[in-house]
């Protein structure tokens, strides 16, 4: 039975990190972002005994970036935000720990596969059960809350979570059937569905954050521009692009749809822009994440004609839409939902966000202009990613694991 929290009821949990989903999933996700990238450096250099006959190392990396890291942050955000949207209490305490444990067990198994320790088929078997249980459990509690208050406008998010579960299932099916086409399909569906969630949530929260962030001191009331027409066009063009790139790789269709997504979101960004965002790292980072995604779609549009690596466009989208967007969101949400000021973030926050920008530059921009020393640029980008999340952990883990200063539950 769903429980709607009354104003007088104060729930309790064994530890503050289990109060709400964002605490434990942001903590676990950021630590995992460091560990899995460190391991990927060794896998990429051929320093581990990963069984390439079981899974292509590139797909191992892609799966864990999407179905490991990105899904953890999305789960942490939604298991917190749905409580605000619906008024229905989300899992906390040992129930939340149970959901998180399924995610964590799957990640441990994938890391053991990457390190080449033990029998890969055994680890993948455990991972499949744990991973799909985590995703199905998360989607189920979110769906119950939404349906309990008849907020059917949230069904788009639920549909994407369901499809993500199916996409992850395709990856595991491909591994066990030894058909890398299924793994590839699951990975690319994962990427574009995660980006679909990012675009949907970003459309809701980024303009709100900009208005609240700039209007805070009372000197200027800011109202950004939004358009339902742009919302529809963004959804349609992105859907066409996803279908074209994954299922029907026609270069004309990919180019037209990718340009459509880029143009629609660029127009949207013009409506959100205010010069004051550059004074606030928690705002310019979100804005730059959308700029990066627009740039990535332009790369997708140009790639069939200019012949540079498809991987550059994919990583441009992943580093902006997944990397920068999640780090920026976590940096803000972790302050606001623990009762701390979002207008005075820790002094390390601009450095954290700048490191992710540098990861984008060295992984996408420099290789695009100068392919010589590609491996060097790649290693620098990996180092920037590790430094970004390492500094995030040092800054935010004490916040995410401590009680709220106002003693409220959250």
């Amino acid at each position: 039975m769903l429980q709607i929290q009354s104003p007088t009821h104060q729930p309790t949990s064994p530890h503050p990190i289990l109060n709400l989903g964002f605490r434990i999933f942001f903590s676990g996700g950021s630590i995992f972002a460091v560990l899995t990238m460190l391991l990927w450096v060794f896998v990429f250099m051929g320093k581990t005994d990963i069984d390439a006959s079981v899974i292509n190392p590139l797909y191992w990396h892609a799966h864990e970036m999407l179905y490991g890291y990105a899904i953890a942050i999305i789960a942490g955000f939604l298991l917190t935000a749905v409580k605000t949207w619906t008024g229905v209490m989300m899992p906390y305490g040992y129930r939340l720990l149970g959901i998180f444990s399924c995610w964590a067990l799957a990640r441990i198994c994938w890391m053991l596969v990457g390190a080449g320790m033990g029998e890969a088929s055994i680890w993948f078997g455990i991972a499949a059960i744990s991973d799909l249980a985590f995703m199905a459990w998360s989607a189920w509690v979110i769906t119950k809350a939404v349906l309990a208050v008849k907020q059917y406008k949230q069904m788009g998010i639920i549909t994407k979570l369901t499809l993500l579960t199916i996409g992850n299932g395709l990856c595991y099916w491909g591994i066990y059937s030894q058909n890398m086409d299924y793994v590839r399909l699951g990975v690319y569906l994962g990427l574009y569905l995660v980006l679909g969630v990012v675009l949907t949530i970003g459309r809701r929260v980024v303009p709100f954050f900009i208005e609240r962030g700039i209007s805070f001191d009372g000197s200027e009331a800011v109202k950004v521009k939004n358009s339902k027409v742009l919302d529809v066009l963004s959804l349609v063009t992105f859907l066409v692009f996803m279908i074209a790139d994954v299922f029907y790789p026609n270069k004309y269709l990919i180019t037209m749809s990718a340009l459509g997504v880029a143009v629609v979101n660029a127009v949207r960004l013009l409506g959100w822009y205010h010069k004051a965002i550059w004074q606030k790292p928690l705002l310019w980072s979100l804005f730059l994440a959308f700029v990066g995604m627009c740039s990535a779609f332009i790369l997708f549009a140009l790639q069939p004609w200019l012949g540079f690596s498809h991987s550059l466009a994919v990583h441009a989208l992943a580093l902006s839409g997944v990397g920068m967007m999640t780090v920026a969101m976590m940096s803000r949400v972790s302050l606001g939902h623990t009762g701390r000021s979002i207008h005075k973030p820790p002094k390390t926050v601009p450095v954290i966000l700048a490191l992710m920008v540098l990861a984008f530059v060295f992984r996408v921009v420099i290789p695009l202009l100068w392919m010589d020393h590609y491996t060097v640029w790649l290693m620098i980008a990996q180092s920037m990613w590790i430094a970004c999340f390492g500094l995030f952990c040092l800054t935010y883990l004490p916040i995410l694991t401590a009680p709220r200063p106002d003693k409220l539950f959250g």
Side-chain angles (χ1 to χ4, degrees), residues 59-72:
Y59 290 153
W60 175 89
H61 169 61
H63 182 279
E64 288 305 272
M65 286 292 98
L66 296 168
Y67 293 108
Y69 168 73
I71 292 296

Side-chain angles (χ1 to χ4, degrees), residues 63 67 71 99 102-103 105-107 110 124-140 161-173 176:
H63 182 279
Y67 293 108
I71 292 296
I99 297 173
C102 291
W103 173 85
L105 179 58
R107 305 290 67 79
W110 274 83
F124 275 133
I126 299 172
I129 295 170
S130 301
D131 227 357
L132 298 177
F134 151 67
M135 296 184 72
W137 194 350
S138 300
W140 172 240
L161 292 177
T162 303
L163 291 174
L164 277 166
T165 305
I166 294 172
N168 201 6
L170 283 173
C171 288
Y172 285 109
W173 175 254
Y176 271 94

Side-chain angles (χ1 to χ4, degrees), residues 25-41:
F25 275 105
F26 288 4
S27 299
S30 57
I31 294 170
F32 176 72
V34 174
L35 296 178
T36 195
M37 187 58 76
L38 280 170
L39 181 55
W40 171 237
V41 171

Side-chain angles (χ1 to χ4, degrees), residues 64-86:
E64 288 305 272
M65 286 292 98
L66 296 168
Y67 293 108
Y69 168 73
I71 292 296
I73 307 310
I74 290 172
F77 178 83
L78 290 177
L79 289 173
T80 302
V82 169
K83 174 179 177 289
T84 302
W85 296 344
T86 65

Side-chain angles (χ1 to χ4, degrees), residues 345-382:
K347 294 180 180 179
T348 54
V349 166
V351 180
I352 292 170
L353 301 171
L355 286 167
M356 185 58 69
V357 173
L358 287 174
F360 181 94
V361 170
F362 279 100
R363 184 60 183 86
V364 178
V365 179
I366 294 180
L368 188 64
L369 300 175
W370 187 19
M371 278 300 292
D372 295 342
H373 312 296
Y374 173 74
T375 302
V376 174
W377 309 141
L378 188 61
M379 297 297 287
I380 294 174
Q382 291 168 338

